[in-house]
Amino acid sequence: MQPLEFLIPKFVFLLLSLSVHEAAHAWTADRLGDPTARMLGRITLNPLAHIDWIGTVLFPLIALVAHVPLLGWAKPVPVNFRNLKAPRRDFALVALAGPVSNLVLAALATPIFLILYGDEAIEMAPMLAASFVVLNVSLAVFNMIPFPPLDGGNVLSGFVPEPVAGAIDRLRPYGFIILYALMLSGMLSRFVFPVARAITTALRIPLWAWLV
């Protein structure tokens, strides 16, 4: 079990990262012509506007206490297709905005880690900065898995032929069942974490950051 001084910051990092992720969806939808999310107060970094009590609180807390890789999700941002000028393309862009926002957070935190790394006076700070990068890269890769309701499925639907998009969309009611099956079987980690580790290595984040 990790010490409390790491568990609390990592949970706060998750709340911040998921809030930025969902706010990015909402802001992009608003810019593309759909004010639904803005009218519901979703263009905000306030976690209370985005919390899903299972995906944002219960599931991550269990992961933290069990010392397994931290992932989670927040309440989906509603999008009204009728307000979008090019519905399929624009919805794909709205979906893409979330993972991109997490990669931006990771890119911003990387130089902070590189500056702090090696300063023994603030040993905990570089460890937390590294874990913030790992978290956001993992969230981005996890959300880009190409089936609904994850963002990757929505992005894919926007750029494939309509019959294929229709077949993908028919998976939507079973998306979380498939997701849980992949998680319990270990297949999800075989995809997400090697890709995420490759990205963090490219950002010069050491492998020990995955153990923090």
Side-chain angles (χ1 to χ4, degrees):
M1 184 179 296
Q2 291 180 312
L4 193 62
E5 61 265 28
F6 283 106
L7 293 180
I8 294 176
K10 288 180 72 173
F11 184 65
V12 172
F13 288 165
L14 180 69
L15 290 179
L16 171 62
S17 301
L18 291 177
S19 297
V20 170
H21 182 108
E22 298 303 325
H25 285 317
W27 180 84
T28 304
D30 189 53
R31 296 290 292 178
L32 292 173
D34 178 24
T36 305
R38 173 172 56 80
M39 293 171 65
L40 292 173
R42 299 297 300 275
I43 306 180
T44 177
L45 297 183
N46 181 356
L48 293 177
H50 307 295
I51 279 180
D52 175 286
W53 291 106
I54 294 177
T56 314
V57 180
L58 180 61
F59 186 81
L61 286 177
I62 292 173
L64 284 170
V65 172
H67 195 35
V68 297
L70 179 61
L71 287 173
W73 60 89
K75 187 168 56 177
V77 165
V79 178
N80 188 335
F81 280 75
R82 290 175 295 182
N83 292 330
L84 301 174
K85 295 177 182 178
R88 290 184 64 218
R89 182 205 65 190
D90 290 351
F91 187 61
L93 293 175
V94 171
L96 186 61
V100 167
S101 73
N102 290 124
L103 291 178
V104 169
L105 287 177
L108 292 174
T110 296
I112 296 175
F113 164 76
L114 295 174
I115 291 170
L116 296 175
Y117 188 41
D119 189 336
E120 295 181 2
I122 47 174
E123 182 179 353
M124 185 175 174
M127 295 178 72
L128 289 175
S131 71
F132 184 78
V133 175
V134 166
L135 170 64
N136 276 280
V137 171
S138 299
L139 285 174
V141 175
F142 169 70
N143 276 284
M144 284 305 294
I145 294 174
F147 67 82
L150 296 177
D151 295 326
N154 296 328
V155 172
L156 183 63
S157 293
F159 295 102
V160 296
E162 288 196 23
V164 179
I168 294 171
D169 200 54
R170 284 193 288 275
L171 291 174
R172 192 173 299 277
Y174 314 103
F176 275 113
I177 297 175
I178 297 172
L179 181 61
Y180 285 129
L182 291 173
M183 291 171 65
L184 293 173
S185 68
M187 292 181 63
L188 185 65
S189 60
R190 291 175 197 168
F191 168 77
V192 172
F193 297 115
V195 175
R197 284 193 186 102
I199 295 173
T200 57
T201 299
L203 291 172
R204 298 172 57 195
I205 301 298
L207 288 177
W208 57 252
W210 286 86
L211 303 175
V212 175

